[in-house]
Amino acid sequence: MALRKPKLAVWKFSSCDGCQLSLLDCEDELLAVAGAVEIANFPEASRAVVKGPYDLSLVEGSITTPHDAERIHGIRRASKFLVTIGACATAGGIQALRNFKDVKEFISIVYARPDYIETLKKSTPITDHVFVDFELRGCPINKYQLVEVLSAFLNGRKPNTPPHSVCVECKLRGTVCVMVAQGTPCLGPVTQVGCGALCPAYARGCYGCFGPKETTNTASLSAWWSGLGVSERDLMRAFRGFNAYAEPFRRESEAHEK
Amino acid sequence: MKSRTIKVDYLARVEGEGALLVKIKGDQVTDVKLKIFEPPRFFEAFLRGRKFHEAPDITARICGICPIAYQMSACHALEDACGIKITGPIRDLRRLIYCGEWIESHALHVYLLHAPDFLGYEDAIRMAKDHPDEVKRGLRLKKAGNEIVRLLGGREIHPINVRVGGFYKAPVKRDFSALAEDLKWARDAALATVRWVATFAFPDFDRDYEFVALRHPDEYPFNEGRLVSNKGLDIAVREYDQYFVEDHVAHSNALQSRLTERNSYFVGPLARYNLNFDKLSPMAQEAARSAGLGPVCRNPFQSIIVRSVEMVYACDEALRIIEHYEMPDPPAVNVEPRVSTGYGCTEAPRGICYHRYRIDDRGIIVDCKIVPPTSQNQKTIESDLRQFVQTRLALPKDKLQWQCEQAVRNYDPCISCATHFLKLHIESQ
C-alpha cells in the first residue's frame, strides 16, 4: 500500500518573505521536494489550501500584532512538528529594534494616522509564544540547511546544522582572518555559522545575521573591538542588528548603551 | 436589491499578506479595497540613529524578493547626500547585479506566480505535471538570475557585498566565464518565454493610465535618470516629494501614493517599457514586436509579456557588461559623510523605489523616507478592479474571484515591501 505523503505547511508572520522564498530558490530541488510532500498550505506559491493537521509546519516571521499572537496557537495545535525559519521567527528580527524604544513614537514617525495601526510593543520570536521543535537560524536562512531540515524531519532524524562559530568556517574555507590581518571588526567569533562565512570571504567583517552561537563571550569580543578603536555607540549598534533581541546580543548591546 | 461580496481573505501567489474586498450592489460595484494587513515593521523609524553605511544592509531586509532594489536606492541616496557620483566599472557592476535581480524576480513571477492563472492551475507545481518543460525552464532562468546576484553579492537573498561607494570585493574577469555561458542559455530561454506567454488568452482591458518610470538618455533605466510620465511629468529624483504624496487609509498598513496633481499612477515593467521602448536592446525590441506588442502596451494582463521582454533585455545587458568588464580597483570609492539630504530612486523589478535620507556630520541618519513600488500601484490596482468587475458581473462567483486575483497579480504586488501591503474580499450587498 502506498504511504500517505507528509503534509507541509508554510506560515508567515512579520517578515520580508525572504526565508520562505528560500524554498522557491531551491530551483534544482523544488520539484523533488514537491514530489516528496503534499504542499498543503503555502500561500506565496499556491492558491490551494488543504486543511490540517499538518506533519510539518515551517513558520517565518515574528509576532508583532495581537491577532498574530493568537494565530500562532492554532498553527501549533494543527502541526505535528513546528520549525521556525529565519531571524524574525527565531529572534524577533530587525523589527525587534522597536523593543528598545517606545513603539508609539515609531508609529507616529511612519504613519499619519496612528489610530489605524494595531501593533504590539515588542516584536518577539515564535518560541516566546508556543513550543518550537527546531529553530533554523539566519537572515536569511541558508537554503541548503532548509533542505537538510526538511529531509531530517521527514525521515525522523535530528537536523545536522552545526552550532559553532563563523571563525571555524573561515578556517575550513581558508579565509585569512579579517580581524587579525586587517584589523576589521568582525562578529564572527560570537556568531553561529550557517552562511558559509561569507562576509570575511568578501573582505568585510561578519555582521551577525545568523545570531549568537552557543556559549558566546560577547564581552571579550567587545574589548577586542574597543582595542581596534570602535566606539561604545558603534558597539551598541553592532550587536543591535538582525538578531538584536537574541539574549546574548541584547545584553551586550545594552552594556554599551550608556 | 441583490448584493454580493467577493472576498479573498488571503491573497495567494503574492509576496506578503493582503486581502481583497469587492462590494457589489445590484449591478454596480460600490467599493473596492485592497487590504494590506502585513504588520508594520517601522523601518523609517529605527533607521534614525543608525550609521549611514548600515542603510543598504538594513533596508535590504524590507524585501527578500528584491533586496538589491533597496540596497541600490539606499546607496545612491547616500552617495547623493555625500556629493559622490559613481562611474565606470563600479557603475556597470551595479547594473549587472540589478539585471540578476530582474531575471530572478521576473522568472519567479512569470512562471511560478502569474502563468498558472492564465493556464488555470492553482500553482506552478500542479502546472508542472502538464507543462514540465516550461516550469523547468522557468526555474533554470530564475537560477541564472540568482547566480548573478550570488556571484556579485555573496548570496541570493540579502547579499552582503554591496556598500555605499561600491562593493566590498570586486570579481575578477574569469569569475564570469561560467556565468556567461549560463546567460547565453538564459537569453534564449527568455526569448522562448516571450513566445510562450504571447500564446496566452488576455482579457480585453485597458485604461488611460499615467505611467511613471525613470528615463535615462543612454540606456534602459536601472539606477539613474529623470522621473517621467506619459502625461508630462519630467522631474529630477530630488523633486519627488513635491510631486508625490502618501496617504494613510484605514484598510491598509501600507501608505498609498498619488501624484498631487493627477492622482493615481502606474509603476513597474509596463511603465518602464512604455516610456523607454527605444532604449531596449534590438533583440528585446524584436522579441516584443514578434509577440504582437507595439511600443506602447496599456493592458496590465499583458504585463507578463513585458516582464518576459525585460528578461531578454536583462540577459542581453548582463552579457554586454560581462564582455566589457574590467575589474575596478579599489572596488569602492571612499564616501565621507557631511550634513546633507540625499535622494535616490531606482527601478526595482516592480517599479520605482524611492529613498531619501538626511544625515549629520558624523554620518548618523537623522530621518529618512522610503517609498516602495507596490504602495505606489495600490490605488491603480483598486481602480483596475472597480472597472474590471463592473464588466464581468455575470460571471459565476468563483470564476470572478479568480479573475480578480489575477488582475491583482498583474502588478506582481509585493506586500512585504509596501508595509510599511494584500487579502481579497468581493462583497455583494
Side-chain angles (χ1 to χ4, degrees), chain A residues 13 18 121 130 136 180:
Chain A
F13 291 84
K121 284 180 179 152
V130 295
L136 184 63
V180 172

Side-chain angles (χ1 to χ4, degrees), chain B residues 89-114:
Chain B
I90 297 174
R91 183 181 189 277
D92 288 344
L93 282 178
R94 285 183 166 173
R95 278 182 74 79
L96 180 60
I97 198 168
Y98 231 143
C99 288
E101 181 160 283
W102 280 20
I103 297 166
E104 164 268 316
S105 178
H106 282 0
L108 172 75
H109 190 258
V110 167
Y111 282 91
L112 299 184
L113 309 184
H114 211 195

Side-chain angles (χ1 to χ4, degrees), chain A residues 215-228:
Chain A
T215 64
T216 52
N217 189 348
T218 52
S220 171
L221 183 68
S222 291
W224 281 100
W225 276 44
S226 299
L228 293 169

Side-chain angles (χ1 to χ4, degrees), chain B residues 16-52:
Chain B
E17 297 184 283
L20 185 61
L21 174 73
V22 179
K23 288 188 181 177
I24 302 159
K25 197 167 190 177
D27 57 2
Q28 283 297 319
V29 178
T30 55
D31 196 14
V32 175
K33 281 197 178 86
L34 190 59
K35 295 187 170 185
I36 294 181
F37 58 91
E38 175 88 26
R41 293 169 73 211
F42 307 111
F43 277 84
E44 290 152 311
F46 60 65
L47 276 159
R48 292 184 176 187
R50 304 298 298 210
K51 280 280 182 69
F52 78 109

Side-chain angles (χ1 to χ4, degrees), chain A residues 16 18 21 31 40 55 67 71-72 79 84 108 115 124 129 138 143 146 164 167 176 178 180 208 217 223 231 243:
Chain A
C16 80
L21 179 71
L31 293 179
D55 294 282
H67 173 253
R71 185 163 64 103
I72 188 63
S79 308
T84 50
S108 69
D115 51 314
T124 45
H129 301 264
K143 66 181 182 182
L146 177 61
H164 53 242
C167 294
V176 175
V178 295
V180 172
N217 189 348
S231 74
N243 289 278

Side-chain angles (χ1 to χ4, degrees), chain A residues 12 16-18 24-25 27-28 43 45-47 64 95 98 111 113 139 202 204 207 234 237 240, chain B residues 13 16 38 49-51 57 61 64 122-123 139 142-143 146 157 160 248 253 364 402 405 416 420:
Chain A
K12 178 189 155 61
C16 80
D17 278 52
L24 298 176
D25 270 354
E27 291 97 355
D28 295 331
S46 178
R47 293 179 90 235
T64 62
Q95 58 272 21
R98 80 177 65 174
Y111 294 100
R113 290 289 303 269
C139 182
Y202 280 76
R204 70 180 289 196
Y207 62 88
D234 284 344
R237 286 189 196 97
R240 205 163 282 184
Chain B
R13 283 188 276 122
E38 175 88 26
R50 304 298 298 210
K51 280 280 182 69
D57 288 323
R61 267 69 181 184
E122 303 269 12
D123 55 58
L139 287 168
K142 183 167 163 304
K143 192 180 174 187
N146 268 334
I157 302 170
I160 51 89
H248 189 188
N253 289 345
I364 308 279
W402 193 327
E405 289 181 46
S416 308
H420 156 74

